[in-house]
Short mmCIF file of all heavy atoms in Angstrom, two decimals:
data_model
loop_
_atom_site.label_atom_id
_atom_site.label_comp_id
_atom_site.label_asym_id
_atom_site.label_seq_id
_atom_site.Cartn_x
_atom_site.Cartn_y
_atom_site.Cartn_z
N MET F 1 -15.92 11.38 -4.18
CA MET F 1 -15.61 10.99 -2.80
C MET F 1 -14.67 12.01 -2.15
O MET F 1 -13.77 12.50 -2.80
CB MET F 1 -14.94 9.61 -2.82
CG MET F 1 -15.13 8.85 -1.53
SD MET F 1 -14.16 7.34 -1.49
CE MET F 1 -14.91 6.38 -2.79
N LYS F 2 -14.92 12.29 -0.88
CA LYS F 2 -14.08 13.28 -0.21
C LYS F 2 -12.70 12.71 0.11
O LYS F 2 -12.56 11.51 0.36
CB LYS F 2 -14.73 13.70 1.11
CG LYS F 2 -15.85 14.69 0.94
CD LYS F 2 -16.33 15.14 2.31
CE LYS F 2 -17.51 16.08 2.18
NZ LYS F 2 -18.17 16.31 3.44
N ASN F 3 -11.71 13.62 0.15
CA ASN F 3 -10.35 13.18 0.45
C ASN F 3 -10.24 12.45 1.78
O ASN F 3 -9.55 11.45 1.89
CB ASN F 3 -9.41 14.39 0.47
CG ASN F 3 -8.92 14.75 -0.92
OD1 ASN F 3 -9.28 14.08 -1.89
ND2 ASN F 3 -8.12 15.78 -1.02
N THR F 4 -10.94 12.98 2.80
CA THR F 4 -10.83 12.34 4.12
C THR F 4 -11.36 10.91 4.09
O THR F 4 -10.79 10.03 4.73
CB THR F 4 -11.61 13.14 5.20
OG1 THR F 4 -12.90 13.43 4.71
CG2 THR F 4 -10.89 14.40 5.57
N GLN F 5 -12.41 10.70 3.32
CA GLN F 5 -12.96 9.35 3.21
C GLN F 5 -11.97 8.41 2.50
O GLN F 5 -11.77 7.27 2.92
CB GLN F 5 -14.29 9.39 2.46
CG GLN F 5 -15.05 8.08 2.56
CD GLN F 5 -16.34 8.11 1.74
OE1 GLN F 5 -16.85 9.17 1.40
NE2 GLN F 5 -16.85 6.95 1.45
N ILE F 6 -11.36 8.94 1.44
CA ILE F 6 -10.36 8.14 0.70
C ILE F 6 -9.20 7.78 1.62
O ILE F 6 -8.75 6.63 1.67
CB ILE F 6 -9.86 8.91 -0.54
CG1 ILE F 6 -11.01 9.10 -1.54
CG2 ILE F 6 -8.71 8.16 -1.21
CD1 ILE F 6 -10.70 10.07 -2.67
N ILE F 7 -8.71 8.78 2.36
CA ILE F 7 -7.57 8.55 3.26
C ILE F 7 -7.92 7.53 4.34
O ILE F 7 -7.13 6.64 4.65
CB ILE F 7 -7.09 9.89 3.88
CG1 ILE F 7 -6.43 10.74 2.79
CG2 ILE F 7 -6.11 9.66 5.03
CD1 ILE F 7 -6.23 12.19 3.16
N ASN F 8 -9.15 7.63 4.86
CA ASN F 8 -9.59 6.64 5.85
C ASN F 8 -9.62 5.24 5.28
O ASN F 8 -9.22 4.27 5.94
CB ASN F 8 -10.98 7.00 6.38
CG ASN F 8 -10.92 8.14 7.36
OD1 ASN F 8 -9.87 8.43 7.93
ND2 ASN F 8 -12.04 8.81 7.56
N GLU F 9 -10.09 5.13 4.05
CA GLU F 9 -10.13 3.81 3.40
C GLU F 9 -8.73 3.25 3.20
O GLU F 9 -8.48 2.07 3.42
CB GLU F 9 -10.87 3.92 2.05
CG GLU F 9 -12.38 4.04 2.23
CD GLU F 9 -13.12 4.08 0.90
OE1 GLU F 9 -12.50 3.78 -0.14
OE2 GLU F 9 -14.31 4.42 0.92
N ILE F 10 -7.82 4.12 2.77
CA ILE F 10 -6.42 3.69 2.57
C ILE F 10 -5.83 3.23 3.91
O ILE F 10 -5.17 2.20 3.99
CB ILE F 10 -5.58 4.82 1.94
CG1 ILE F 10 -6.02 5.05 0.49
CG2 ILE F 10 -4.08 4.49 2.00
CD1 ILE F 10 -5.38 6.25 -0.19
N ASP F 11 -6.09 4.02 4.95
CA ASP F 11 -5.61 3.67 6.30
C ASP F 11 -6.08 2.29 6.72
O ASP F 11 -5.31 1.48 7.25
CB ASP F 11 -6.11 4.69 7.33
CG ASP F 11 -5.11 5.80 7.55
OD1 ASP F 11 -4.01 5.72 6.96
OD2 ASP F 11 -5.44 6.73 8.30
N LEU F 12 -7.37 2.03 6.50
CA LEU F 12 -7.94 0.74 6.90
C LEU F 12 -7.29 -0.42 6.15
O LEU F 12 -6.97 -1.45 6.76
CB LEU F 12 -9.46 0.74 6.64
CG LEU F 12 -10.32 1.44 7.67
CD1 LEU F 12 -11.78 1.42 7.24
CD2 LEU F 12 -10.18 0.78 9.04
N ILE F 13 -7.10 -0.22 4.85
CA ILE F 13 -6.46 -1.28 4.04
C ILE F 13 -5.05 -1.53 4.56
O ILE F 13 -4.63 -2.68 4.74
CB ILE F 13 -6.41 -0.87 2.55
CG1 ILE F 13 -7.82 -0.80 1.97
CG2 ILE F 13 -5.57 -1.87 1.75
CD1 ILE F 13 -7.90 -0.17 0.59
N MET F 14 -4.32 -0.44 4.82
CA MET F 14 -2.93 -0.60 5.29
C MET F 14 -2.87 -1.28 6.65
O MET F 14 -2.01 -2.13 6.89
CB MET F 14 -2.23 0.76 5.31
CG MET F 14 -1.95 1.26 3.90
SD MET F 14 -1.12 2.83 3.86
CE MET F 14 0.55 2.32 4.21
N GLN F 15 -3.81 -0.89 7.54
CA GLN F 15 -3.84 -1.53 8.86
C GLN F 15 -4.11 -3.02 8.74
O GLN F 15 -3.53 -3.84 9.44
CB GLN F 15 -4.93 -0.90 9.73
CG GLN F 15 -4.50 0.39 10.40
CD GLN F 15 -5.70 1.08 11.05
OE1 GLN F 15 -6.62 0.41 11.49
NE2 GLN F 15 -5.67 2.39 11.09
N LYS F 16 -5.03 -3.34 7.83
CA LYS F 16 -5.45 -4.73 7.70
C LYS F 16 -4.38 -5.60 7.04
O LYS F 16 -4.15 -6.73 7.48
CB LYS F 16 -6.74 -4.76 6.87
CG LYS F 16 -7.48 -6.08 6.92
CD LYS F 16 -8.85 -5.91 6.28
CE LYS F 16 -9.56 -7.24 6.19
NZ LYS F 16 -10.82 -7.12 5.41
N TYR F 17 -3.75 -5.08 5.98
CA TYR F 17 -2.85 -5.92 5.19
C TYR F 17 -1.37 -5.56 5.30
O TYR F 17 -0.52 -6.45 5.20
CB TYR F 17 -3.24 -5.89 3.71
CG TYR F 17 -4.62 -6.40 3.44
CD1 TYR F 17 -5.67 -5.52 3.18
CD2 TYR F 17 -4.90 -7.76 3.46
CE1 TYR F 17 -6.94 -5.98 2.93
CE2 TYR F 17 -6.18 -8.23 3.23
CZ TYR F 17 -7.20 -7.33 2.95
OH TYR F 17 -8.47 -7.80 2.72
N CYS F 18 -1.05 -4.29 5.43
CA CYS F 18 0.35 -3.89 5.32
C CYS F 18 1.09 -3.88 6.66
O CYS F 18 2.30 -4.14 6.69
CB CYS F 18 0.46 -2.51 4.68
SG CYS F 18 -0.27 -2.46 3.03
N ASP F 19 0.37 -3.58 7.75
CA ASP F 19 1.02 -3.59 9.06
C ASP F 19 1.52 -5.00 9.35
O ASP F 19 0.75 -5.94 9.37
CB ASP F 19 0.06 -3.15 10.16
CG ASP F 19 -0.19 -1.64 10.13
OD1 ASP F 19 0.40 -0.96 9.27
OD2 ASP F 19 -0.97 -1.16 10.96
N GLY F 20 2.80 -5.10 9.54
CA GLY F 20 3.38 -6.41 9.83
C GLY F 20 3.47 -7.32 8.62
O GLY F 20 3.60 -8.54 8.78
N CYS F 21 3.41 -6.74 7.43
CA CYS F 21 3.49 -7.56 6.20
C CYS F 21 4.86 -8.23 6.10
O CYS F 21 5.90 -7.56 6.07
CB CYS F 21 3.24 -6.68 4.98
SG CYS F 21 3.52 -7.57 3.43
N PHE F 22 4.85 -9.54 6.03
CA PHE F 22 6.09 -10.31 6.00
C PHE F 22 6.86 -10.08 4.70
O PHE F 22 8.09 -9.96 4.70
CB PHE F 22 5.78 -11.80 6.17
CG PHE F 22 6.98 -12.68 6.04
CD1 PHE F 22 7.91 -12.78 7.08
CD2 PHE F 22 7.21 -13.39 4.87
CE1 PHE F 22 9.02 -13.57 6.95
CE2 PHE F 22 8.34 -14.19 4.74
CZ PHE F 22 9.25 -14.28 5.79
N VAL F 23 6.14 -10.00 3.59
CA VAL F 23 6.78 -9.83 2.29
C VAL F 23 7.59 -8.53 2.26
O VAL F 23 8.76 -8.52 1.86
CB VAL F 23 5.72 -9.82 1.15
CG1 VAL F 23 6.38 -9.56 -0.20
CG2 VAL F 23 4.96 -11.12 1.12
N ARG F 24 6.96 -7.46 2.70
CA ARG F 24 7.66 -6.17 2.69
C ARG F 24 8.87 -6.19 3.62
O ARG F 24 9.95 -5.72 3.26
CB ARG F 24 6.70 -5.04 3.09
CG ARG F 24 7.38 -3.68 3.04
CD ARG F 24 6.44 -2.55 3.38
NE ARG F 24 5.89 -2.66 4.71
CZ ARG F 24 5.01 -1.83 5.23
NH1 ARG F 24 4.58 -0.83 4.50
NH2 ARG F 24 4.55 -2.00 6.43
N THR F 25 8.69 -6.73 4.81
CA THR F 25 9.79 -6.80 5.77
C THR F 25 10.97 -7.56 5.18
O THR F 25 12.12 -7.12 5.27
CB THR F 25 9.32 -7.50 7.07
OG1 THR F 25 8.18 -6.82 7.55
CG2 THR F 25 10.40 -7.48 8.13
N GLN F 26 10.67 -8.69 4.56
CA GLN F 26 11.73 -9.52 4.01
C GLN F 26 12.42 -8.85 2.83
O GLN F 26 13.65 -8.85 2.72
CB GLN F 26 11.14 -10.88 3.58
CG GLN F 26 12.18 -11.98 3.43
CD GLN F 26 12.94 -12.24 4.73
OE1 GLN F 26 12.37 -12.23 5.81
NE2 GLN F 26 14.26 -12.42 4.62
N LEU F 27 11.61 -8.24 1.95
CA LEU F 27 12.19 -7.55 0.79
C LEU F 27 13.06 -6.38 1.22
O LEU F 27 14.14 -6.16 0.65
CB LEU F 27 11.08 -7.04 -0.13
CG LEU F 27 10.57 -8.00 -1.20
CD1 LEU F 27 9.41 -7.37 -1.95
CD2 LEU F 27 11.67 -8.38 -2.18
N ARG F 28 12.62 -5.64 2.24
CA ARG F 28 13.41 -4.52 2.74
C ARG F 28 14.76 -5.00 3.24
O ARG F 28 15.79 -4.38 3.01
CB ARG F 28 12.68 -3.81 3.88
CG ARG F 28 11.67 -2.81 3.40
CD ARG F 28 11.09 -2.06 4.59
NE ARG F 28 10.29 -0.95 4.17
CZ ARG F 28 9.88 0.04 4.96
NH1 ARG F 28 10.22 0.03 6.24
NH2 ARG F 28 9.15 1.01 4.51
N LYS F 29 14.71 -6.12 3.95
CA LYS F 29 15.92 -6.68 4.53
C LYS F 29 16.86 -7.16 3.43
O LYS F 29 18.06 -6.91 3.46
CB LYS F 29 15.54 -7.87 5.43
CG LYS F 29 16.41 -7.99 6.67
CD LYS F 29 16.08 -9.25 7.45
CE LYS F 29 14.86 -9.09 8.34
NZ LYS F 29 14.53 -10.35 9.04
N ASP F 30 16.31 -7.87 2.45
CA ASP F 30 17.14 -8.51 1.41
C ASP F 30 17.55 -7.54 0.31
O ASP F 30 18.67 -7.60 -0.19
CB ASP F 30 16.39 -9.68 0.77
CG ASP F 30 16.15 -10.80 1.76
OD1 ASP F 30 16.82 -10.82 2.80
OD2 ASP F 30 15.28 -11.65 1.48
N LYS F 31 16.62 -6.67 -0.11
CA LYS F 31 16.90 -5.87 -1.32
C LYS F 31 16.79 -4.37 -1.13
O LYS F 31 17.04 -3.61 -2.06
CB LYS F 31 15.95 -6.31 -2.44
CG LYS F 31 16.09 -7.79 -2.73
CD LYS F 31 15.45 -8.18 -4.03
CE LYS F 31 15.84 -9.61 -4.34
NZ LYS F 31 15.17 -10.16 -5.46
N GLY F 32 16.36 -3.92 0.05
CA GLY F 32 16.30 -2.49 0.31
C GLY F 32 14.89 -1.92 0.15
O GLY F 32 14.00 -2.55 -0.42
N LYS F 33 14.75 -0.69 0.70
CA LYS F 33 13.44 -0.03 0.76
C LYS F 33 12.84 0.22 -0.62
O LYS F 33 11.65 0.07 -0.83
CB LYS F 33 13.59 1.32 1.47
CG LYS F 33 13.41 1.27 2.95
CD LYS F 33 13.41 2.68 3.50
CE LYS F 33 13.31 2.67 5.01
NZ LYS F 33 13.32 4.02 5.56
N SER F 34 13.71 0.64 -1.55
CA SER F 34 13.22 1.03 -2.87
C SER F 34 12.60 -0.16 -3.61
O SER F 34 11.51 -0.04 -4.18
CB SER F 34 14.38 1.62 -3.67
OG SER F 34 13.93 1.94 -4.94
N ILE F 35 13.27 -1.30 -3.56
CA ILE F 35 12.76 -2.50 -4.23
C ILE F 35 11.46 -2.94 -3.56
O ILE F 35 10.48 -3.33 -4.23
CB ILE F 35 13.80 -3.64 -4.19
CG1 ILE F 35 15.06 -3.24 -4.95
CG2 ILE F 35 13.21 -4.94 -4.73
CD1 ILE F 35 14.92 -3.15 -6.45
N ALA F 36 11.43 -2.87 -2.22
CA ALA F 36 10.21 -3.26 -1.49
C ALA F 36 9.05 -2.35 -1.90
O ALA F 36 7.93 -2.82 -2.13
CB ALA F 36 10.45 -3.17 0.02
N HIS F 37 9.32 -1.06 -2.02
CA HIS F 37 8.30 -0.11 -2.43
C HIS F 37 7.79 -0.43 -3.84
O HIS F 37 6.59 -0.41 -4.10
CB HIS F 37 8.88 1.31 -2.37
CG HIS F 37 7.89 2.38 -2.65
ND1 HIS F 37 6.81 2.62 -1.82
CD2 HIS F 37 7.79 3.25 -3.67
CE1 HIS F 37 6.09 3.61 -2.35
NE2 HIS F 37 6.66 4.01 -3.45
N GLN F 38 8.73 -0.72 -4.73
CA GLN F 38 8.36 -1.07 -6.11
C GLN F 38 7.47 -2.31 -6.13
O GLN F 38 6.50 -2.38 -6.88
CB GLN F 38 9.62 -1.35 -6.96
CG GLN F 38 10.47 -0.12 -7.24
CD GLN F 38 9.68 0.99 -7.95
OE1 GLN F 38 8.96 0.74 -8.90
NE2 GLN F 38 9.80 2.20 -7.43
N PHE F 39 7.81 -3.27 -5.29
CA PHE F 39 7.00 -4.50 -5.22
C PHE F 39 5.57 -4.16 -4.78
O PHE F 39 4.60 -4.62 -5.37
CB PHE F 39 7.62 -5.51 -4.25
CG PHE F 39 6.80 -6.76 -4.14
CD1 PHE F 39 6.97 -7.80 -5.03
CD2 PHE F 39 5.81 -6.88 -3.15
CE1 PHE F 39 6.18 -8.95 -4.96
CE2 PHE F 39 5.01 -8.02 -3.08
CZ PHE F 39 5.20 -9.05 -3.98
N CYS F 40 5.45 -3.35 -3.72
CA CYS F 40 4.12 -2.98 -3.21
C CYS F 40 3.28 -2.33 -4.30
O CYS F 40 2.10 -2.65 -4.45
CB CYS F 40 4.26 -2.02 -2.04
SG CYS F 40 4.90 -2.77 -0.53
N ILE F 41 3.88 -1.44 -5.05
CA ILE F 41 3.13 -0.67 -6.04
C ILE F 41 2.78 -1.51 -7.27
O ILE F 41 1.68 -1.41 -7.80
CB ILE F 41 3.92 0.58 -6.46
CG1 ILE F 41 4.02 1.55 -5.30
CG2 ILE F 41 3.27 1.27 -7.64
CD1 ILE F 41 4.94 2.71 -5.56
N HIS F 42 3.72 -2.33 -7.71
CA HIS F 42 3.54 -3.00 -9.01
C HIS F 42 3.16 -4.48 -8.93
O HIS F 42 2.62 -5.02 -9.89
CB HIS F 42 4.81 -2.87 -9.85
CG HIS F 42 5.17 -1.47 -10.18
ND1 HIS F 42 4.39 -0.68 -11.00
CD2 HIS F 42 6.20 -0.68 -9.77
CE1 HIS F 42 4.94 0.52 -11.10
NE2 HIS F 42 6.03 0.55 -10.36
N SER F 43 3.44 -5.12 -7.82
CA SER F 43 3.27 -6.58 -7.81
C SER F 43 2.31 -7.10 -6.74
O SER F 43 2.12 -8.31 -6.64
CB SER F 43 4.63 -7.26 -7.61
OG SER F 43 5.52 -6.82 -8.59
N CYS F 44 1.74 -6.21 -5.95
CA CYS F 44 0.83 -6.66 -4.90
C CYS F 44 -0.57 -6.08 -5.16
O CYS F 44 -0.69 -4.89 -5.44
CB CYS F 44 1.34 -6.21 -3.53
SG CYS F 44 0.19 -6.61 -2.20
N THR F 45 -1.58 -6.90 -5.09
CA THR F 45 -2.94 -6.42 -5.36
C THR F 45 -3.38 -5.39 -4.32
O THR F 45 -4.14 -4.47 -4.64
CB THR F 45 -3.95 -7.58 -5.40
OG1 THR F 45 -3.81 -8.34 -4.21
CG2 THR F 45 -3.73 -8.47 -6.60
N VAL F 46 -2.89 -5.54 -3.09
CA VAL F 46 -3.22 -4.55 -2.04
C VAL F 46 -2.60 -3.20 -2.41
O VAL F 46 -3.26 -2.16 -2.36
CB VAL F 46 -2.70 -5.01 -0.66
CG1 VAL F 46 -2.94 -3.94 0.39
CG2 VAL F 46 -3.36 -6.32 -0.25
N GLY F 47 -1.34 -3.23 -2.80
CA GLY F 47 -0.65 -2.01 -3.20
C GLY F 47 -1.32 -1.35 -4.40
O GLY F 47 -1.46 -0.13 -4.46
N GLU F 48 -1.77 -2.18 -5.32
CA GLU F 48 -2.47 -1.67 -6.51
C GLU F 48 -3.76 -0.95 -6.11
O GLU F 48 -4.08 0.13 -6.61
CB GLU F 48 -2.77 -2.85 -7.45
CG GLU F 48 -3.48 -2.49 -8.72
CD GLU F 48 -2.69 -1.59 -9.65
OE1 GLU F 48 -1.43 -1.64 -9.63
OE2 GLU F 48 -3.31 -0.83 -10.39
N GLU F 49 -4.48 -1.55 -5.16
CA GLU F 49 -5.73 -0.94 -4.69
C GLU F 49 -5.46 0.40 -4.00
O GLU F 49 -6.17 1.38 -4.21
CB GLU F 49 -6.43 -1.90 -3.72
CG GLU F 49 -7.88 -1.54 -3.51
CD GLU F 49 -8.57 -2.50 -2.55
OE1 GLU F 49 -8.10 -3.63 -2.36
OE2 GLU F 49 -9.60 -2.08 -1.99
N ILE F 50 -4.39 0.42 -3.18
CA ILE F 50 -4.03 1.66 -2.49
C ILE F 50 -3.67 2.74 -3.52
O ILE F 50 -4.09 3.89 -3.40
CB ILE F 50 -2.84 1.42 -1.52
CG1 ILE F 50 -3.31 0.56 -0.34
CG2 ILE F 50 -2.25 2.74 -1.02
CD1 ILE F 50 -2.19 0.02 0.52
N LYS F 51 -2.91 2.33 -4.52
CA LYS F 51 -2.51 3.27 -5.57
C LYS F 51 -3.73 3.85 -6.28
O LYS F 51 -3.83 5.05 -6.50
CB LYS F 51 -1.60 2.56 -6.57
CG LYS F 51 -0.84 3.50 -7.48
CD LYS F 51 0.14 2.75 -8.32
CE LYS F 51 -0.27 2.82 -9.77
NZ LYS F 51 0.49 1.96 -10.64
N GLN F 52 -4.67 2.98 -6.62
CA GLN F 52 -5.88 3.44 -7.33
C GLN F 52 -6.67 4.42 -6.47
O GLN F 52 -7.19 5.42 -6.97
CB GLN F 52 -6.74 2.25 -7.71
CG GLN F 52 -6.23 1.55 -8.95
CD GLN F 52 -6.97 0.26 -9.25
OE1 GLN F 52 -7.98 -0.04 -8.63
NE2 GLN F 52 -6.46 -0.49 -10.20
N LYS F 53 -6.78 4.13 -5.18
CA LYS F 53 -7.51 5.05 -4.29
C LYS F 53 -6.75 6.37 -4.19
O LYS F 53 -7.35 7.45 -4.19
CB LYS F 53 -7.69 4.42 -2.91
CG LYS F 53 -8.76 3.34 -2.90
CD LYS F 53 -9.10 2.92 -1.49
CE LYS F 53 -10.10 1.77 -1.49
NZ LYS F 53 -11.43 2.16 -1.96
N GLY F 54 -5.44 6.29 -4.08
CA GLY F 54 -4.61 7.49 -3.96
C GLY F 54 -4.74 8.42 -5.17
O GLY F 54 -4.69 9.63 -5.03
N GLU F 55 -4.95 7.81 -6.33
CA GLU F 55 -5.09 8.61 -7.54
C GLU F 55 -6.39 9.43 -7.55
O GLU F 55 -6.51 10.39 -8.31
CB GLU F 55 -5.03 7.70 -8.78
CG GLU F 55 -3.60 7.27 -9.09
CD GLU F 55 -3.52 6.13 -10.10
OE1 GLU F 55 -4.57 5.66 -10.56
OE2 GLU F 55 -2.38 5.74 -10.43
N LYS F 56 -7.34 9.05 -6.70
CA LYS F 56 -8.60 9.81 -6.63
C LYS F 56 -8.50 11.05 -5.74
O LYS F 56 -9.40 11.87 -5.71
CB LYS F 56 -9.71 8.90 -6.08
CG LYS F 56 -10.12 7.82 -7.06
CD LYS F 56 -11.27 7.03 -6.46
CE LYS F 56 -11.46 5.72 -7.18
NZ LYS F 56 -12.11 4.71 -6.35
N LEU F 57 -7.38 11.13 -4.98
CA LEU F 57 -7.20 12.29 -4.10
C LEU F 57 -7.06 13.56 -4.93
O LEU F 57 -6.42 13.56 -5.97
CB LEU F 57 -5.95 12.11 -3.22
CG LEU F 57 -6.05 11.09 -2.10
CD1 LEU F 57 -4.68 10.85 -1.49
CD2 LEU F 57 -7.04 11.54 -1.03
N GLN F 58 -7.69 14.64 -4.45
CA GLN F 58 -7.62 15.91 -5.19
C GLN F 58 -6.80 16.94 -4.46
O GLN F 58 -6.73 16.93 -3.27
CB GLN F 58 -9.03 16.44 -5.40
CG GLN F 58 -9.84 15.56 -6.30
CD GLN F 58 -11.32 15.91 -6.31
OE1 GLN F 58 -11.76 16.77 -5.55
NE2 GLN F 58 -12.08 15.22 -7.13
S1 SF4 W 101 1.25 -3.44 -0.45
FE1 SF4 W 101 1.22 -5.67 -0.32
S2 SF4 W 101 3.37 -6.29 -0.13
FE2 SF4 W 101 3.23 -4.11 0.32
S3 SF4 W 101 3.05 -4.00 2.53
FE3 SF4 W 101 0.96 -3.96 1.70
S4 SF4 W 101 0.31 -6.09 1.67
FE4 SF4 W 101 2.53 -6.08 1.93
#
């Protein structure tokens, strides 16, 4: 798959699920950006999907 296609797919996922995500907003407020980022990567299925797509980038 081409990089541009992967990036477009990631963009779409983020627009659909991450824009205005309440969990991230709340975690950032309560525990800071780093913890919120860790949650997205390790504990959210959306974040996991984004990570997997990102790993295909060349
Ligand atoms: S990865 Fe999950 S928790 Fe993080 S912003 Fe996206 S939907 Fe919200």
Side-chain angles (χ1 to χ4, degrees):
M1 205 188 295
K2 282 185 183 168
N3 276 359
T4 48
Q5 192 183 341
I6 295 169
I7 290 165
N8 284 340
E9 285 183 12
I10 291 173
D11 267 357
L12 281 177
I13 294 169
M14 289 180 78
Q15 277 171 31
K16 194 170 174 187
Y17 299 104
C18 301
D19 285 0
C21 173
F22 175 77
V23 177
R24 182 178 60 183
T25 305
Q26 199 60 40
L27 271 176
R28 277 185 170 195
K29 216 186 279 177
D30 294 343
K31 302 195 171 172
K33 270 187 183 180
S34 178
I35 297 290
H37 185 65
Q38 291 302 314
F39 179 86
C40 289
I41 292 172
H42 298 293
S43 305
C44 175
T45 52
V46 175
E48 180 65 28
E49 196 180 339
I50 290 168
K51 195 173 113 189
Q52 281 173 8
K53 285 191 184 290
E55 284 167 358
K56 290 183 196 155
L57 287 170
Q58 293 169 355

